[in-house]
Amino acid sequence: MTETIESAAQDDDRRPPLEARRRPRVHRAWIVAAVTFVTIIGGAAFNSLPGLLIDPLHTEFGWSRGEIGLAVSIDMALYGLTAPFAAALMDRFGIRRVVAAALTMVAAGALASVWMTASWQLMIYWGLLVGLGTGSMAMAFAATVTNRWFVARRGLVTGILTAAGASGQLVFLPLCAWIVDEHGWRPASVTVALAALVVVPFVCLLMRDHPADVGLAPYGGAYVAKPALARGAARRTVKVLFKAARTGPFWLLAGTFAICGASTNGLIRTHFVPSAHDHGMPITAAASLLAVIGIFDVIGTIFSGWLTDRFDARRLLAVYYALRGISLLFLPMLMGPDVRPPMVFFIVFYGLDWVATVPPTLALCREQYGEDSAIVFGWVLASHQVGAAVVAFLGGVARDVFGSYDVVWYASGALCAVAALMSLVIRRVRASSAAVPSG
């Protein structure tokens, strides 16, 4: 009798709370995903600024495009290098605390830049503060939310959350371009700071760290008790890096994603507007084209997430990089003072491909590294941003030296061809041995 009672008590301990057995009409995971989407939009607002402000800062302060590009490169590098530690910090302190602090940091950096008078201040405000803040809300944030709250529809949700950055670009690029054109760069910087601060209350009120916090199972999965807070976040992050670095797929994923960052954030987002302006195109028109990229980026990324749930992620990456490289080789011939149909075709084509690489890259990280995949993806994202940082800086230097961006477009196109080949070399892992054990 006593054994029967003890067995029943143990069964009760294994059962989820009563709330977890109820099925809400709208699963809380979708609410958390919506808050995450809005948060990434608010944090991504700053990403609309650098390409718009290169010429105004060069004109007002006389700083070279290389100096301004260096500040942008510091921001991008820290964005990437912070991401894996942010994923571990979310395990230690919770998503809400880390993201609220990150949004505040972005707002502080954007607002402080209004009073800068020297280029080293640009490095501190844009590079250090904004880089650390945006890095804490990088794609590793989306990966953490997806891994905790979803079992089904992970590829689709990853695509939707990845598209949030493009949605921020869509919202803020035309607005900031108009503000810069009509009122100067300082009001645009203030607008970005306010956008980051507005999101903080939503994070504090609606974000939850784990489905077990509200007595629910992840969407499409079984109830899982909330794990204990992880200590030694930085140590774990470095340990996961060393473990992953002993595997070939990590370097292939990091290399392809570095080229991805070089050909998107480092190249198009930073240098497309000033390059188009060099050819006589108004800044507002060039910024509007980038915003159109944002529209098709949303479509392409969500569709890529859908494809990732159904097809080989390696082949998808190879196709994405090959098509991107071809389009970049044609871009110098399309530049001009007016927006013509071939340029519109490039913008639509490039927009569909912009971050379509993220869902299959994240899927490969999950396949290869299991429960450490969010942190591994954070390190892969670090390589993405290092690649972006290098091209953001070298693109500005190339413009100063050659008086044109053409060489940068051609070099990036060639790199994308290399990335396509690297994607096909990544080995497949059987489900039974997919995860590198967590240490």
Side-chain angles (χ1 to χ4, degrees), residues 219-240:
Y219 181 81
Y223 179 84
V224 178
K226 184 177 181 178
L229 292 176
R231 298 186 180 277
R235 184 170 60 253
R236 181 190 173 205
T237 301
V238 175
K239 188 175 181 180
V240 168

Side-chain angles (χ1 to χ4, degrees), residues 155-156 159 300-311 316 359:
L156 177 63
T301 307
I302 294 174
F303 184 55
S304 177
W306 183 85
L307 290 174
T308 301
D309 286 334
R310 291 161 175 80
F311 298 101
L316 290 176

Side-chain angles (χ1 to χ4, degrees), residues 8 39 47 66 77 88 91 95 138 177 188 262 311 329 354 372 384 407 411 429:
T39 301
N47 293 331
D91 288 342
I95 296 174
F311 298 101
L329 294 177
W354 181 276
D372 287 334
H384 179 282
V407 66
V429 177

Side-chain angles (χ1 to χ4, degrees), residues 80-81 83-88 91 139-140 143-144 147 236-255 257 361-384 434-439:
L81 294 172
F85 293 95
D91 288 342
M139 295 173 194
T144 300
N147 287 350
R236 181 190 173 205
T237 301
V238 175
K239 188 175 181 180
V240 168
L241 170 63
F242 286 147
K243 185 190 303 181
R246 294 197 294 268
T247 65
F250 173 80
W251 294 105
L252 291 169
L253 289 167
F257 224 39
T361 300
L362 181 52
L364 288 169
C365 285
R366 191 179 294 120
E367 175 185 297
Q368 299 279 345
Y369 304 106
E371 63 185 36
D372 287 334
S373 61
I375 296 177
V376 173
F377 181 70
W379 283 114
V380 172
L381 177 63
S383 71
H384 179 282
V436 174
S438 177

Side-chain angles (χ1 to χ4, degrees), residues 402-426:
F402 299 109
S404 168
Y405 285 102
D406 288 0
V407 66
V408 187
W409 305 128
Y410 294 135
S412 297
L415 284 175
C416 287
V418 174
L421 295 175
M422 292 171 66
S423 301
L424 294 175
V425 178
I426 299 172

Side-chain angles (χ1 to χ4, degrees), residues 166-338:
S167 299
Q169 175 178 298
L170 170 63
V171 171
F172 288 100
L173 254 175
L175 174 62
C176 289
W178 177 81
I179 292 174
V180 170
D181 198 40
E182 296 293 327
H183 305 286
W185 65 270
R186 288 180 176 84
S189 192
V190 172
T191 300
V192 166
L194 293 177
L197 288 176
V198 163
V199 183
V200 173
F202 290 95
V203 173
C204 294
L205 293 174
L206 298 176
M207 179 63 70
R208 293 294 181 270
D209 295 328
H210 195 277
D213 289 342
V214 288
L216 291 174
Y219 181 81
Y223 179 84
V224 178
K226 184 177 181 178
L229 292 176
R231 298 186 180 277
R235 184 170 60 253
R236 181 190 173 205
T237 301
V238 175
K239 188 175 181 180
V240 168
L241 170 63
F242 286 147
K243 185 190 303 181
R246 294 197 294 268
T247 65
F250 173 80
W251 294 105
L252 291 169
L253 289 167
T256 55
F257 224 39
I259 294 172
C260 178
S263 57
T264 53
N265 291 355
L267 184 65
I268 297 293
R269 179 171 285 166
T270 305
H271 295 295
F272 177 81
V273 171
S275 178
H277 191 55
D278 284 346
H279 288 80
M281 186 179 294
I283 289 178
T284 51
S288 297
L289 289 176
L290 276 186
V292 173
I293 284 181
I295 296 174
F296 289 94
D297 185 6
V298 173
I299 298 170
T301 307
I302 294 174
F303 184 55
S304 177
W306 183 85
L307 290 174
T308 301
D309 286 334
R310 291 161 175 80
F311 298 101
D312 185 344
R314 301 170 307 154
R315 296 179 186 276
L316 290 176
L317 284 179
V319 171
Y320 296 158
Y321 286 121
L323 293 177
R324 181 183 299 178
I326 293 170
S327 66
L328 285 172
L329 294 177
F330 281 98
L331 182 57
M333 294 179 278
L334 306 180
M335 289 289 187
D338 304 316

